[in-house]
């Protein structure tokens, strides 16, 4: 049940979800639990006479609806005034506005322009945002060397997503010389700050000995960190560790717990592994009907091994639930497999967890008779 080559190199949906607009309020002053009306009036009066910091703060008030009605058009107006006077945070937020189309016609060209102005003044979130533009080819020509350059600058300032993406760049060799050592280094920095994808990747590095000394024990630690945050792939891998007794004491019952968590999130590999457990009664009461249920769910999601197994289970020799002649039926089924299957295919069934070692040897022996 081991899974290989599954390091998550990029997840746009995850990164987009976490790429929210930078809120400079937390760096200026936290007004979140106060009335904004007085502050809004002060910022407006100061902004109207041209004070750049006041213009930026007035833009934030309009952006967040603090002390006034939320108005993206007014927010952009004041961000632009402040940005043109060199306020770095206003330049970044103006870039965000263009990227999201908030108060302006969406334009990644304009977004990248304003991100660059702030990035060149060492504003970390702007460096990360500009790196994303180069990575995705939005507003600029796609250039992995430039994206890696800006990711590194942001990563060195502690931007977690930049640390993760820099690790991705090193793992893939995009814009930098390929190096699992560097990939593991940057993913560790992000993992230690709780980024679930980085935790999962670090677990894979330890499991496979990529960029770090191989350690199943360390792999389990990081898979568990990510699994407890609800990440399905980590939950499945942790289940595999318990199933195989790698890095932890072998326990089918604990394996089933994690397989179920991932399977219920529609992760097909976990559904397949859970089906195997039900079929053989590993860590759970044996149930052919539940095995078929989870094989079918995995197959419906395109899991090729589950689709192959379903063909066998739907054959005439499949041992049905509550069949008193289960053992005899299984023998019949195995005989049928043997008549139509090569030794290589039987070995593959063993590797895929469909049959155990003794069953594999019995089938090969029958085949050679």
């Amino acid at each position: 049940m081991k899974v290989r080559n599954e390091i998550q190199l990029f997840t746009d949906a995850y990164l987009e979800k976490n790429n929210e607009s930078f809120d400079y309020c937390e760096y200026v002053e936290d007004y979140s639990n106060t009335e904004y009306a007085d502050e809004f009036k002060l910022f407006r009066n100061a902004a109207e006479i041209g004070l750049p910091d006041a213009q930026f703060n007035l833009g934030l008030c309009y952006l967040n609806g603090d002390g006034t009605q939320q108005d993206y058009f007014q927010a952009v107006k004041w961000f632009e005034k402040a940005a043109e006077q060199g306020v770095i945070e206003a330049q970044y937020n103006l870039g965000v506005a263009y990227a999201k189309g908030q108060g302006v016609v969406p334009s990644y060209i304009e977004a990248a322009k304003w991100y660059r102005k702030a990035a060149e003044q060492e504003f970390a979130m702007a460096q990360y945002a500009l790196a994303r533009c180069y990575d995705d080819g939005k507003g600029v020509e796609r250039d992995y060397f430039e994206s890696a350059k800006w990711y590194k600058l942001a990563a060195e300032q502690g931007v977690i997503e930049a640390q993760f993406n820099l690790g991705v760049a090193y793992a893939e060799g995009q814009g930098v010389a390929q190096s699992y050592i560097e990939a593991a280094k940057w993913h560790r920095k992000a993992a230690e700050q709780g980024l679930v994808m980085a935790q999962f990747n670090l677990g894979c590095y330890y499991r496979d000995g990529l960029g770090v000394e191989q350690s199943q024990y360390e792999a389990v630690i990081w898979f568990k960190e990510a699994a407890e945050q609800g990440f399905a792939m980590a939950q499945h891998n942790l289940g595999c560790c318990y199933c195989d007794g790698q890095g932890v004491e072998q326990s089918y019952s604990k394996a089933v717990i994690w397989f179920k968590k991932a399977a219920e999130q529609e992760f097909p590999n976990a559904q397949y592994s859970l089906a195997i457990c039900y079929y053989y009664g590993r860590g759970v009461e044996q149930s052919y009907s539940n095995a078929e249920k989870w094989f079918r769910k995995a197959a419906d999601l395109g899991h090729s091994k589950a689709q192959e197994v379903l063909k066998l289970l739907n054959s005439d020799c499949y041992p049905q639930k509550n069949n008193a002649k289960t053992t005899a039926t299984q023998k019949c089924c195995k005989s049928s497999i043997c008549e139509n299957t090569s030794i290589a295919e039987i070995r593959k069934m063993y590797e895929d967890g469909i049959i155990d070692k003794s069953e594999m040897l019995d089938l090969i022996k029958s085949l050679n008779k």
Side-chain angles (χ1 to χ4, degrees):
M1 294 187 184
K2 299 180 181 65
V3 181
R4 295 288 184 257
N5 301 322
E6 60 193 328
I7 292 168
Q8 292 304 285
L9 297 176
F10 202 82
T11 303
D12 267 334
Y14 178 84
L15 293 170
E16 288 292 344
K17 180 180 178 183
N18 288 276
N19 187 23
E20 299 296 334
S21 173
F22 174 75
D23 184 358
Y24 190 62
C25 279
E26 63 182 279
Y27 289 83
V28 181
E29 186 172 352
D30 184 7
Y31 295 123
S32 60
N33 295 316
T34 65
E35 294 296 329
Y36 287 87
D38 292 339
E39 287 82 1
F40 173 77
K41 290 177 183 177
L42 289 171
F43 291 148
R44 184 179 61 188
N45 291 337
E48 287 173 349
I49 62 173
L51 295 181
D53 288 341
Q55 291 171 339
F56 169 64
N57 285 328
L58 184 59
L60 283 179
C61 288
Y62 279 116
L63 177 66
N64 300 318
D66 296 332
T68 185
Q69 185 175 353
Q70 188 177 55
D71 188 329
Y72 291 135
F73 295 98
Q74 285 293 319
V76 166
K77 169 187 170 181
W78 292 105
F79 283 151
E80 188 167 14
K81 288 180 181 293
E84 288 173 348
Q85 294 199 68
V87 178
I88 303 172
E89 297 80 9
Q91 293 169 343
Y92 170 73
N93 275 23
L94 188 56
V96 171
Y98 275 110
K100 293 186 173 182
Q102 291 183 334
V104 289
V105 176
S107 171
Y108 275 106
I109 293 175
E110 284 295 309
K113 180 184 89 172
W114 289 107
Y115 288 152
R116 185 184 304 281
K117 288 181 182 292
E120 289 174 346
Q121 297 177 75
E122 301 184 359
F123 190 64
M125 287 302 296
Q127 292 171 336
Y128 169 68
L130 184 59
R132 288 295 308 275
C133 288
Y134 277 113
D135 209 350
D136 300 336
K138 291 182 176 180
V140 293
E141 186 176 351
R142 176 171 283 173
D143 187 330
Y144 291 127
F145 294 97
E146 281 293 309
S147 66
K149 164 190 163 183
W150 290 107
Y151 280 142
K152 187 171 185 179
L153 289 170
E156 288 172 345
Q157 292 200 65
V159 178
I160 302 174
E161 293 83 0
Q163 293 170 342
F164 175 78
N165 278 12
L166 183 58
V168 168
Y170 277 112
E172 289 187 318
Q174 286 192 335
V176 290
Q178 198 281 336
S179 171
Y180 281 119
I181 292 175
E182 286 294 311
K185 165 189 159 183
W186 288 105
H187 282 157
R188 182 186 303 280
K189 289 181 182 292
E192 289 174 346
Q193 296 179 75
L195 191 67
V196 66
M197 293 290 290
Q199 293 171 338
F200 173 77
N201 280 7
L202 193 55
C204 291
Y205 295 143
Y206 273 112
R207 183 196 60 193
D208 299 336
L210 297 173
V212 294
E213 185 177 351
Q214 189 173 40
S215 170
Q216 301 304 326
Y217 174 78
E218 285 290 327
V220 166
I221 289 174
W222 289 108
F223 285 148
K224 190 172 183 181
E225 289 282 343
E228 289 177 345
Q229 290 198 63
F231 190 54
M233 293 181 73
Q235 291 171 338
H236 177 248
N237 280 16
L238 185 56
C240 290
C241 291
Y242 277 112
C243 196
D244 299 332
Q246 293 196 341
V248 289
E249 184 178 351
Q250 198 278 339
S251 171
Y252 285 131
S253 60
K254 289 182 179 179
V256 166
I257 290 171
W258 290 107
F259 287 155
K260 279 185 177 179
K261 287 180 183 292
E264 288 168 355
Q265 294 189 67
E266 304 298 314
F267 185 52
N269 288 0
Q271 293 172 335
Y272 176 81
S273 296
L274 183 58
I276 292 293
C277 289
Y278 272 115
Y279 187 86
Y280 287 108
R282 294 172 179 169
V284 68
E285 184 177 353
Q286 187 178 48
S287 170
Y288 293 124
S289 61
N290 278 327
E292 184 172 11
K293 166 190 166 183
W294 288 106
F295 278 135
R296 191 169 303 282
K297 284 180 178 288
D300 289 344
L301 290 172
H303 196 285
S304 59
K305 293 177 184 176
Q307 292 168 346
E308 292 173 9
V309 172
L310 272 181
K311 292 179 183 178
L312 172 64
L313 298 187
N314 289 328
S315 66
D316 292 339
C317 62
Y318 171 61
Q320 299 297 324
K321 184 179 179 181
N322 297 324
N323 188 337
K325 298 182 179 179
T326 294
T327 302
T329 310
Q330 285 178 314
K331 288 181 179 178
C332 167
C333 187
K334 290 169 187 172
S335 296
S336 177
I337 294 172
C338 196
E339 290 171 3
N340 300 287
T341 308
S342 67
I343 291 177
E345 289 171 325
I346 292 172
R347 290 186 186 280
K348 186 174 185 301
M349 292 176 70
Y350 164 66
E351 291 171 358
D352 292 346
I354 299 171
I355 57 177
D356 60 26
K357 187 174 182 178
S358 63
E359 291 169 332
M360 176 189 72
L361 295 176
D362 287 345
L363 287 171
I364 293 174
K365 184 177 179 181
S366 298
L367 188 65
N368 291 327
K369 285 184 177 180

